[in-house]
Amino acid sequence: RRDLLSAEESSSSSAAHEATARAIVRCIDSAMAIVAASSSSRKDWNESVASTLELAAAFACHHGSGRKKEDDRDGTVVGYAARAVIQRAAEYGVAEKDAIRAEACGLLGSCARHLMEGNRPAASILKKKKKGVATTTTTGTGAAREVISGWRAECLLSVATALLPRITDKIARVRNAAVSACAHLFAHGDAANASGVMRASDEFAMVDAS
C-alpha cells in the first residue's frame, strides 16, 4: 500500500511539474509573439518582453521546479522546467526574424546566470559584528558548495550548444546578444572547475578550430 501511495505521489508530482513547464513556455511564446508581430521601435515592447523572459528563466532555472527527492537522483523532475525553457529558447534561436533570435540569446543568457547563481550558497542579510567589523554570514548546504553537476551541468551544456551558432550570426545585434549571454557560462569561485561549465567552454573553443 505504501508503495502504491509513493508511486501515485511521484506521478502526481511529475504531472504538476510538466504542467508548470508548459505554462512557463506559453508565457515565453506570448512574449515572442509580441516581438514577431511588432513593426514598431524596440522600446515599445522591450521592457515587457524582457521582464517576462527574465521571470521565466528565474522561475525555471534558479532552484529548479521543485526539491530533489530520493527518487529523483538524476534531476528528471527538478530540472524539467529548466530543460523545457532552454529547449524553447533554442528553437527561437533559429527563427527567421533577427529580433527574435536576439531575444532568444538573452533568454539563454538569463538561464545560464540563474543556473550558476542557484548553485551558490545563500548569503544571509543578517550581519554579525566581530571586533567592531560587520561581516556577512554565509549559509547553505554542502551540496550548494559543490561544483556544478547533474541537471544544472546538463542545462548549461544545452545553453552553450544553442548559443554557439549565434556567435557567427549574420546580424550584428544577434552576435552581440550571443556574446553577452556567453559570459554567464563561465563560473566564479569554487564552481570554476565544474564539469558542465568546462564542457561548455570546450564547445566554444571549437569555434577557432572549425
Side-chain angles (χ1 to χ4, degrees):
R1 181 58 180 175
R2 182 174 300 175
D3 292 340
L4 290 175
L5 289 175
S6 178
E8 290 176 358
E9 290 175 355
S10 177
S11 177
S12 177
S13 177
S14 297
H17 290 306
E18 290 175 9
T20 300
R22 287 195 298 269
I24 298 173
V25 168
R26 282 197 295 269
C27 290
I28 295 173
D29 291 342
S30 297
M32 291 300 192
I34 295 175
V35 180
S38 178
S39 58
S40 58
S41 173
R42 183 171 183 265
K43 65 180 182 180
D44 294 336
W45 50 261
N46 179 58
E47 184 176 356
S48 61
V49 170
S51 298
T52 300
L53 298 182
E54 173 64 20
L55 178 59
F59 189 91
C61 299
H62 198 87
H63 293 298
S65 54
R67 292 185 177 181
K68 182 177 289 189
K69 298 181 180 179
E70 293 181 359
D71 59 349
D72 189 34
R73 298 181 187 277
D74 60 351
T76 301
V77 174
V78 75
Y80 192 93
R83 293 186 183 96
V85 168
I86 293 170
Q87 180 180 347
R88 182 64 99 220
E91 292 170 356
Y92 281 118
V94 295
E96 182 176 354
K97 190 169 183 176
D98 58 276
I100 295 178
R101 297 200 303 277
E103 293 301 323
C105 289
L107 175 56
L108 288 167
S110 293
C111 288
R113 174 165 54 83
H114 285 290
L115 286 166
M116 298 293 289
E117 291 178 353
N119 193 67
R120 297 171 185 164
S124 174
I125 61 174
L126 300 178
K127 302 288 184 178
K128 285 186 177 180
K129 288 187 177 181
K130 184 177 182 180
K131 295 183 180 180
V133 179
T135 58
T136 302
T137 301
T138 301
T139 59
T141 62
R145 298 178 184 275
E146 295 177 356
V147 297
I148 296 175
S149 60
W151 67 274
R152 289 185 187 276
E154 176 190 334
C155 287
L156 283 169
L157 185 59
S158 296
V159 169
T161 302
L163 285 172
L164 184 59
R166 302 282 65 81
I167 294 179
T168 56
D169 196 278
K170 61 182 180 180
I171 303 299
R173 174 185 171 186
V174 179
R175 293 197 300 271
N176 292 337
V179 170
S180 296
C182 291
H184 301 296
L185 289 170
F186 297 91
H188 300 282
D190 294 336
N193 294 321
S195 60
V197 179
M198 295 303 291
R199 282 184 293 166
S201 301
D202 291 341
E203 291 282 342
F204 288 106
M206 292 179 184
V207 174
D208 295 333
S210 60

